[in-house]
Amino acid sequence: MTFLGIPTASSTGHLRAPRTFPEAAHDALGNAQLRRNLGDATATIRAKRAGVVAELPDWEQLRAAGAAIKDETLAHLDEYLIQLEEQVTERGGVVHWARDADEANRTVVELVRAAGADEVVKVKSMATQEIALNEALADAGITALETDLAELIVQLGHDAPSHILVPAIHRNRSEIREIFLREMAGVDPALTDDPRALAEAARTYLRRKFLSAQVAISGANFAVAEAGTLCVFESEGNGRMCLTLPRTLITVMGIEKLVPTWRDLEVFLQTLPRSSTGERMNPYTSMWTGATEGQQFHLVLLDNGRTATLADPHGRSALRCIRCSACLNVCPVYERTGGHAYGSVYPGPIGAVLSPQLTGVEHNPTLPFASSLCGACFDACPVAIDIPSMLIHLRAQVVDAKREAHHTPTPEAAIMAAAAWTMNRPRWWARGLRAARLSRFVRRRRALPPPLSAWTASRDLPDPPRETLRDWWQREGGVQ
Amino acid sequence: MRIAVFATCLVDGLFADVGKATIALLRRLGHDVDLPLEQTCCGQMHVNTGYPREALPLVRRYVDTFARYDAVVAPSGSCTGAIRHQHAELAGAAGDATLAEAAREVASRTFELSEFLVDRLGVTDVGAYFPHRVTYHPTCHSLRLLRVGDRPYRLLRAVRGIELVELPSADACCGFGGTFALKNGEVSTAMLADKMRCILDTGAGVCAAGDASCLMHIGGGLSRLQAGVRTVHLAEILASTESSAA
């Protein structure tokens, strides 16, 4: 039992970007194949989503309802979590609490060992990606097999997911064929890049694993506190196989994934599939409550920076996120860089606000700036998370953290302070603008010094006017 | 009605013609227009880059400068969005409830140009003449912060001589994003490249928008390409007449 309300130490796992966003984006932008794959895929999902969202006359009310349910849950998270624990326990499940990724991984490894297994099948799960569970299992000599097709492609390709919902979005089918031929034991060497043939190869490969696995590991899209019911949404049926066949099921779930009642699920059953895959209803919705006779069920409740996020009134609504990835698909920055540039398991706009909050902004200081603040993410979010405002809030935290860390202001801070000082003194401002006119004679081309060189690398500067607007006004503007 | 123009810092210093056009247009529609010289900047650059403290005096300056006018008109969806969505909140966060209330009040009388013309003045035909093939980029903050919707298009459709052509993927960001264009210059450039491709696909000779900032970015890219497409602010098109047509 952990004490909620006391922000935990910073999180661990796959949340900290090893490189700055601009550095990582540089590589992605230079990869023409990746850019094309991403552009095509996001455009397709965007159009599909727009179509099915437009079908619902009450979409805006559903968004508001989703936001309200999640906010209510977060406001009383302690009570609902205890209720969930009681319900799960009463129905034969075992609940474990994990403060961070290390604790969660240790718990899962011990449970798999206790079940006497050295191989587990997995349902695609963001929480287990977040805590780097596969790596922890591998260190303990346990093989974890991803059973979601895209996740399997990523795993076999020794790659990292690039999208919350479509982890292999950055790969096209000929690349997938090559990965299968190289990595998948027993695959037909005559395999073509026909999607159906690729899916069939994966199906045959996975079927053997489903039938032999003793332990399955899943995440959870939702948990119903009043009933102790866990819920997974998926499209391929692999989740259902994992959730029913093995004797032991271990679910790792972030503590924010709750809804209070069964009735609350109704909203998300409509908004999640429409927002994520552009479908009216997702193909497989599996729900389970406690353990069936002869089987074991363990629920690992993961904090990993969530209570710290909850403690920030401006940032906590990021915990409403239902991981639909609608914000990724509409984000112009994500569309050009892909998920790897974000350096965390949570890419795109939601990643740019969630990762720095889970880790503390000092560990992901460039992510809040990885946005042009165009606002498309806010419009697309089915739980109405105001991501642009949150990005701005986190940017101020980053600047404050730098102020505290350095005694002398950064060049940027000095420029901002000087600009603000001048802008608050119209006479100085007018003089400054007049001085800028002199740059007409410098001409406008390439060789400006940093940071302005970032502008002139690809864009000309405008020719300043001969006369500023205020000078014109003083000369003759008052004249009608 | 005492109308003040909030020119924005960018228009004041770099795009004086946009400010002159805004003033000329409002005068042509029969209004007294003032350009109070105590104005400087809305502070959005500071807020959006993580320096809200530095922006607070600019909020106070904006309120002090414009409180005495019946309406404030800005040729910028982005700055109007900042005034409406950031000013009162900044003051509130700094614990100044009086300033927050005053900022809210002035913001409620601050309009982006197309909003002001269509909603406050009730005009869509402003008597303009602009004989060019034009495509319109709606700009993110006009589109999503202000929800100006089709107001700019209604104004443009009433312009005589204009050939308005639809911009593919119009609602996609051009990649400017204030200091984003510098901090993530390469991503910004990639977004700009796609925007320019869409503009060139239309065959238009003019790309118009309601924000000088986005136009500076798009225009800077088109100039580098030597693409022969110029960028023009909505105010400049609406201010054009047969005698003054550029």
Side-chain angles (χ1 to χ4, degrees), chain A residues 37-94:
Chain A
N37 294 351
L38 278 168
D40 289 351
T42 53
T44 306
I45 307 175
R46 270 203 302 272
K48 233 176 129 188
R49 175 195 164 274
V52 294
V53 162
E55 288 174 353
L56 293 184
D58 58 347
W59 181 253
E60 288 307 317
Q61 288 96 309
L62 282 169
R63 287 178 84 206
I69 292 167
K70 281 291 188 178
D71 283 352
E72 150 70 20
T73 311
L74 293 170
H76 304 282
L77 191 57
D78 51 349
E79 296 161 35
Y80 290 126
L81 281 169
I82 289 166
Q83 194 184 11
L84 178 76
E85 181 181 36
E86 285 168 358
Q87 292 299 318
V88 170
T89 310
E90 200 170 296
R91 287 165 168 79
V94 183

Side-chain angles (χ1 to χ4, degrees), chain B residues 35-48:
Chain B
L35 182 78
L37 293 175
E38 305 83 60
Q39 66 171 291
T40 54
C41 170
C42 68
Q44 181 181 193
M45 175 185 75
H46 289 94
V47 179
N48 288 2

Side-chain angles (χ1 to χ4, degrees), chain A residues 430-444:
Chain A
R431 263 179 247 169
L433 292 182
R434 262 176 236 134
R437 263 180 325 137
L438 297 175
S439 69
R440 284 175 72 82
F441 303 108
V442 183
R443 298 309 299 164
R444 57 192 178 156

Side-chain angles (χ1 to χ4, degrees), chain A residues 180-238:
Chain A
F180 279 11
L181 285 175
R182 197 173 60 233
E183 302 283 340
M184 200 181 261
V187 77
D188 179 2
L191 180 70
T192 68
D193 67 358
D194 172 41
R196 193 178 302 185
L198 293 172
E200 189 52 43
R203 183 192 296 264
T204 311
Y205 175 75
L206 288 171
R207 185 57 59 113
R208 289 195 301 273
K209 303 289 184 182
F210 288 134
L211 292 172
S212 63
Q214 298 299 304
V215 177
I217 296 173
S218 84
N221 290 92
F222 299 97
V224 181
E226 69 173 359
T229 301
L230 278 295
C231 177
V232 159
F233 286 42
E234 42 100 9
S235 302
E236 298 166 13
N238 63 301

